[in-house]
Amino acid sequence: MGKVALTAAALYVIVLLRAGGTFAVGWLAGAGARRSRLAERISSAKFARVERAIQRWGAPVVAVSFLTVGFQTVANLLAGSMRMPLTRYLPALFLGGAAWALIYATAGLGALEVLLGLFAGHPALGVAAVAGLVLAVGGAMAYRRRRRAAAPAPPDAGDEES
């Protein structure tokens, strides 16, 4: 079995467990919400229409969510909490998860091979590339932190004077 196939298989198992687990957590959270004080709010006709729409049309959204960054967890959690039937969810999970695993296996191994080749052929250039990446990420984090610290604080309701 080749490196890409082995990596894709491992990533596929990981994504099935992670996304399936997120779906299960959503399912349990939805069940808990239906038994809590939220039950009145989530039993409205409008909520029921949204839930039916997600149950019926959410599978393509779940499948495509694997091609995005950051949305797949929300899509799987929402599919679970809105009780998407497994007959619709599982094919979307299997298809989207396979696409995700193949993309990450090929792109990830490709980037790793380029980096290893750079280190093997020109160690100084490889070290410079890694150092540049670390500096860029560190600079971006410092910039965001400073920007957040410089932002005015929202007014606190408890600080009002009479």
Side-chain angles (χ1 to χ4, degrees), residues 33-34 36-48 82:
R34 285 169 176 77
S36 71
R37 287 183 264 158
L38 294 173
E40 284 182 29
R41 291 184 184 172
I42 63 175
S43 63
S44 69
K46 185 176 183 180
F47 188 85
M82 294 291 174

Side-chain angles (χ1 to χ4, degrees), residues 19-20 23 54 57-68 71-80 84-85 88-97 100:
F23 177 85
I54 288 173
W57 303 107
V61 174
V62 169
V64 172
S65 76
F66 288 96
L67 304 178
T68 68
F71 180 65
Q72 55 188 273
T73 301
V74 173
N76 284 285
L77 190 68
L78 186 61
M84 182 184 294
R88 293 181 186 269
Y89 176 74
L90 290 177
L93 171 64
F94 294 146
L95 182 65
W100 179 88

Side-chain angles (χ1 to χ4, degrees), residues 132-150:
L133 181 62
V134 168
L135 286 173
V137 169
M141 289 172 59
Y143 173 76
R144 288 185 67 195
R145 219 178 262 145
R146 270 190 248 134
R147 196 167 159 201
R148 214 176 296 142

